[in-house]
Amino acid sequence: MAIARFVRQAKRPHGFCVKMSAVAILGLCFIFVWSMFSSPSSSLVSQRESFDGIVEPVSTNTRASSSGTQSNMKEVEKHGLSREDKKAKVESDLNRKHEKKVNGSVALDVSVQKSGKRDEKEVTKEKNAKQIKGVAEDNDGSRNSEGEDSPEEKEEQEEEEVLDGKEERPDGEGEENGDKEGDSDLVEPVDTESEEKLEDGSSESRNSGRKKKIRGPLFDPKAHYNWKLCNAKSKHNYIPCIDIESGKLQSYRHRERSCPRSPLMCLVPLTHGGYGSPVRWPESKSKILYKNVAHPKLAAFVKKHSWVAESGEYLTFPQDQSEFKGGILHYLESIEEMVPDIEWGKNIRVVLDIGCTDSSFSASLLDKEVLTLSLGLKDDLVDLAQIALERGFPAVVSPLGNRRLSFPSGVFDAIHCGGCGLSWHSNVGKLLLEMNRILRPGGYFILSSRHDSIEEEEAMTRLTASICWNILAHKTDEVGEVGVKIYQKPVSNDIYELRRKKNPPLCKEDENPDAAWYISIKTCLHTIPSAIEQHGAEWPEEWPKRLETYPEWLNDREKLIADTNHWKAIVDKSYLTGIGIDWANIRNVLDMKAIYGGFAAALSQQKVWVMNVVPVHAPDTLPFIFERGLLGIYHDWCESFGTYPRSYDLLHADHLFSRLKNRCKQPVSIVVEMDRILRPGGWAIIREKVEILDPLEGILRSLHWEIPMTYAQGKEGIICAQKTHWRP
C-alpha cells in the first residue's frame, strides 16, 4: 500500500523531489546488500592472514599440537576456501600423512610439542655432525694399519670398478634362496621403500632402481645371543644348502643347491667323542684322526678299499695306493706318455678332479706343483671330500645336475674324471657341455673307466665329435686294467663352422659364459675367445712364472702390482710374525673376499693352500685369480658355503661385513657360518671398520672364541680370534 501511494504521488507535478528521493533510497539499499555479501570475503582474508602456516607443509621440527591444528582448520573450513587455498590445504594434508607414515605412528612428535621450535644452534650442530660423518665415510678405508694405501679397503673402487671394464656379472636366480630368510629378532631394520624381485634375483627399489640400504649399525650392539645346537639329520656333518632337512626323502642331499628359508642361527655339534687336534701337514697326507671324519657308513667303506686302512685312532693312507691298480704314480706316468705335451706343474697347474675318490690323484699331483680341486658330488654318501679336506687337500661340495658350477669359463688347465661314474652323454650331454665351458681353450679332459659298454662308448664318441673335442690318445692300461681317453678342447672357432650338423648350436652373443651363480647349464657352445682383451685367448705362462705375470687382457696392471705388494708387506711383516698364529698348524686357508688373489700369492711360499672366494656382488676378478695359478670360487655369503663343518684352519675376511651390509638381512648368520666351517683351534683374521669390529667382538665372545689380539688405527681395525671347542 505504501509503495502504491508513493507512486501516485510521484505522478503529481510536485513529485519530482519524490522521484529523486526514491532513487537515492534504492541506491542505498543496493550498497547495503552489496556490503552484506562482500564482508565474509574480507573476514576470511583476515583469518587466512593470521593462519598462514596451515597451508604450508608442516615441518617435523616445527609441528604444532594435533588438537590445535584441527581447531584452526575447522575455523577456516567454516567460511569456505578459494581454489588456491583448497590446493594448499590438500598439499598440507598429504605432507602430514607422509610424515605420519614415515615415523610409523599417527601421533605427532611429542618432544617437539613440548619444546616448540628447536634451538638454531642445535640444528646447526646436527648438520655439521652429518657432514663430518659423510666425509668420514667417503674417506673410510683409505689407509691400512701399516700406514699403506690399501686397494681392498677402498670400498667404492671395490664395488664399482670391474677388472676389464665389464659390468658386474648377473647373480642369476641365486637370490631366490638367499633372500628367503624367516622372521627373526635379529633381523636388521631396512629402508621402508617398497622392493621387488628382479629377474636377475637382486632386490631393488621400485622407485630408485638401487638396492635397499640398511639403516643403523650392521650388528645390533644391544642384542644378546643364546646359542643352541642344530638339530639336523646329518648332525655334525651338516651342510645347510646341500643336505635335506625336511620331508621323508631317502636321499639326504639335494639334487641341486637349495638353502633353508631362514639363515643358519644354530651351531653344528662336534663329532662324537669330540674333535681332536688335526694332524699337522705334511704328516696328514698319510694319516688323520678317525673321529674327526666319523661317518656311519665309513667303517664299511674302509673294509672294502685298500687305499685306506684303520689303525687305532687313525685312518692311514698307504703310499702309492689308490683306486687305480698299479698305483697312482704309474697312472700319471702313463698319461704323460700318451700326451707328452702334458707337463705337470709347468703348463698344467690348475686341475679339477670330478668325484673326489681316494685323493691320491690330488696328493701325487701336489708333489708336482699342481693344484687339484676335488669336487665332491651330492651322491658321495661317505663324505670322501671331508676326508680330503682333513688330509689337507683342496675340495668343495657341489651338486652337478642342471646348474652351472660356480666357476668362470675357460679357467681349468685340465679336468679329470677317474671312475667318477657320470653318464656324460645323457640329458643332451649337458654335463659335458659344462665341462667344455670351464675348461681352458686347448685344455685337456682326462677320462678313465673300466667297463664301458659299446653303446656308451659310441654315444660318447658322437658327443665329443659334436663339440669338436679332439681325442689325443686312447689306451687300455693292462696293469691298471683301466681305459684312458684324453681329449683336447679346440683353440679357435674355425672348427665349429666345419660341422655338418650345428648341434649343439653356438650360444648367443649376449650369453655370458662367466655367469655361474644359480645359472642353468646351457645346451650350446660358447665361442672361443679370440681378442687379446678377452681372458682365455692365450695359454698362461708356465708355473711359477704365471703367478707374477699379468696377461694382456688386464687393464690396470699398476693397480694389480700395488695389490700384490700391499698383501706381501702385510703377510711378511704382520701375519707371519706379529699376531701370534703358529703357522705350522695352518694348512687349509679361506679368503672370504678375495679381489686379485694378492693374499694367496703372498702365502705361496708357505705350506698352505688358499681358496679364494669372489663374492657374487663384487667385480668379477676370479678369472685373473685362476690365471695366476690359484684356486677360487664364486659365492654369496648370505648363504652357507659348500663345504663340510670344520674344513679350514684359517679364515681371512678383509672388509667383508661392510660390503654385505646392504645385501644380507641377517649378517649375524655370516659369523655363525664362520663358526661352522672353521676347525676348533682355527683362527680368523678380520679387518674392518671399528664401528663394525666393536659389536662383532661381542658376538665372537658369545661363541666363546678367544680374542688374543685387537688393533685399531683411526677408523680401521683388525681382530685376530681363535675358535675353541665350546658347544652349548
Side-chain angles (χ1 to χ4, degrees), residues 73-111:
M73 288 302 299
K74 287 181 180 178
E75 291 185 35
V76 176
E77 291 174 354
K78 182 172 66 177
H79 299 287
L81 297 175
S82 64
R83 180 176 300 177
E84 291 78 3
D85 296 331
K86 289 181 179 179
K87 181 178 179 181
K89 176 182 178 297
V90 171
E91 292 176 353
S92 175
D93 292 341
L94 290 176
N95 278 282
R96 280 194 295 274
K97 290 180 180 179
H98 176 68
E99 289 175 355
K100 294 177 183 178
K101 182 178 179 181
V102 171
N103 288 279
S105 175
V106 177
L108 296 177
D109 194 345
V110 179
S111 62

Side-chain angles (χ1 to χ4, degrees), residues 115-150:
S115 61
K117 293 186 178 181
R118 301 169 63 185
D119 187 14
E120 293 182 1
K121 294 183 179 180
E122 182 180 350
V123 175
T124 304
K125 182 179 180 181
E126 181 176 313
K127 289 182 179 179
N128 292 337
K130 290 182 179 179
Q131 291 176 356
I132 294 173
K133 181 179 180 182
V135 173
E137 290 176 352
D138 290 340
N139 294 330
D140 185 71
S142 61
R143 299 187 69 83
N144 57 42
S145 59
E146 283 77 15
E148 300 177 302
D149 291 336
S150 169

Side-chain angles (χ1 to χ4, degrees), residues 464-722:
T464 54
S466 67
I467 62 176
C468 303
W469 279 13
N470 182 25
I471 181 167
L472 300 179
H474 181 194
K475 177 182 178 182
T476 300
D477 189 351
E478 297 179 355
V479 177
E481 298 180 0
V482 63
V484 181
K485 295 180 181 178
I486 302 178
Y487 301 89
Q488 187 176 31
K489 180 179 176 179
V491 295
S492 68
N493 297 307
D494 296 339
I495 194 170
Y496 292 149
E497 302 299 328
L498 300 178
R499 296 181 299 166
R500 294 181 179 179
K501 297 181 179 179
K502 303 297 188 294
N503 187 30
L506 295 179
C507 298
K508 297 179 180 179
E509 293 183 359
D510 59 351
E511 174 63 38
N512 183 7
D514 294 334
W517 187 247
Y518 284 92
I519 299 296
S520 300
I521 297 176
K522 311 300 181 184
T523 56
C524 60
L525 286 172
H526 291 282
T527 56
I528 305 297
S530 56
I532 194 172
E533 63 272 9
Q534 293 178 291
H535 77 84
E538 296 181 354
W539 197 274
E541 296 284 346
E542 291 186 354
W543 180 262
K545 188 178 179 181
R546 66 189 286 182
L547 181 65
E548 303 296 338
T549 301
Y550 305 104
E552 295 294 334
W553 48 270
L554 291 176
N555 291 332
D556 196 348
R557 297 190 183 186
E558 294 182 358
K559 186 176 181 180
L560 302 179
I561 295 174
D563 177 79
T564 300
N565 295 335
H566 165 72
W567 284 113
K568 180 174 175 53
I570 290 179
V571 169
D572 292 344
K573 299 178 182 179
S574 178
Y575 287 1
L576 294 180
T577 58
I579 57 179
I581 295 179
D582 183 4
W583 286 85
N585 294 325
I586 306 298
R587 172 59 186 171
N588 302 351
V589 180
L590 179 69
D591 191 358
M592 300 180 69
K593 191 178 77 68
I595 300 180
Y596 302 114
F599 172 67
L603 290 173
S604 60
Q605 299 302 316
Q606 305 299 315
K607 296 180 179 180
V608 301
W609 68 271
V610 181
M611 174 61 75
N612 296 278
V613 176
V614 173
V616 295
H617 60 85
D620 186 8
T621 56
L622 191 53
F624 172 66
I625 291 176
F626 275 96
E627 192 80 7
R628 303 184 76 172
L630 305 172
L631 294 176
I633 196 169
Y634 297 128
H635 184 62
D636 185 350
W637 284 111
C638 299
E639 302 181 6
S640 291
F641 191 63
T643 191
Y644 291 90
R646 306 167 301 278
S647 293
Y648 289 94
D649 302 303
L650 186 143
L651 305 179
H652 184 255
D654 178 42
H655 292 79
L656 172 71
F657 294 96
S658 56
R659 304 315 299 155
L660 292 175
K661 180 175 181 179
N662 298 322
R663 187 172 186 84
C664 302
K665 294 181 180 178
Q666 203 163 8
V668 180
S669 63
I670 307 172
V671 186
V672 177
E673 177 65 5
M674 294 173 67
D675 182 86
R676 186 186 74 88
I677 64 179
L678 187 62
R679 293 171 175 172
W683 294 83
I685 303 174
I686 305 171
R687 306 171 68 91
E688 264 295 351
K689 301 178 181 179
V690 173
E691 62 184 18
I692 293 178
L693 290 181
D694 288 342
L696 179 59
E697 182 178 349
I699 299 174
L700 294 177
R701 293 191 184 279
S702 73
L703 293 168
H704 292 248
W705 284 30
E706 295 179 355
I707 305 178
M709 195 276 289
T710 60
Y711 177 78
Q713 181 178 358
K715 300 182 294 295
E716 299 296 319
I718 181 173
I719 284 181
C720 186
Q722 187 177 27

Side-chain angles (χ1 to χ4, degrees), residues 432-445:
L432 197 66
L433 286 172
E434 174 63 2
M435 299 300 104
N436 182 78
R437 183 186 72 87
I438 63 177
L439 185 62
R440 186 180 297 279
Y444 304 94
F445 183 78

Side-chain angles (χ1 to χ4, degrees), residues 390-496:
E390 188 71 18
R391 295 178 66 184
F393 302 131
V396 292
V397 180
S398 173
L400 180 57
N402 295 318
R403 290 177 183 159
R404 291 177 174 177
L405 297 174
S406 298
F407 306 113
S409 64
V411 291
F412 287 102
D413 304 331
I415 298 176
H416 175 254
C417 172
C420 56
L422 294 178
S423 181
W424 296 104
H425 60 274
S426 61
N427 197 12
V428 204
K430 269 190 173 182
L431 299 185
L432 197 66
L433 286 172
E434 174 63 2
M435 299 300 104
N436 182 78
R437 183 186 72 87
I438 63 177
L439 185 62
R440 186 180 297 279
Y444 304 94
F445 183 78
I446 305 170
L447 177 64
S448 62
S449 58
R450 288 183 177 156
H451 304 289
D452 275 349
S453 65
I454 298 177
E455 292 79 8
E456 290 179 347
E457 188 170 343
E458 290 178 349
M460 187 66 177
T461 300
R462 289 193 298 270
L463 178 59
T464 54
S466 67
I467 62 176
C468 303
W469 279 13
N470 182 25
I471 181 167
L472 300 179
H474 181 194
K475 177 182 178 182
T476 300
D477 189 351
E478 297 179 355
V479 177
E481 298 180 0
V482 63
V484 181
K485 295 180 181 178
I486 302 178
Y487 301 89
Q488 187 176 31
K489 180 179 176 179
V491 295
S492 68
N493 297 307
D494 296 339
I495 194 170
Y496 292 149

Side-chain angles (χ1 to χ4, degrees), residues 317-367:
F317 307 91
Q319 188 175 5
D320 200 29
Q321 291 294 318
S322 70
E323 289 288 313
F324 304 101
K325 291 184 178 180
I328 185 63
L329 296 179
H330 172 77
Y331 177 71
L332 294 177
E333 290 173 359
S334 64
I335 292 177
E336 291 179 321
E337 291 177 359
M338 294 169 64
V339 182
D341 289 339
I342 295 179
E343 298 181 274
W344 303 116
K346 294 182 180 180
N347 65 336
I348 305 298
R349 164 65 179 176
V350 183
V351 177
L352 180 67
D353 186 21
I354 304 294
C356 189
T357 52
D358 58 4
S359 299
S360 62
F361 185 76
S362 301
S364 299
L365 285 181
L366 191 61
D367 295 335

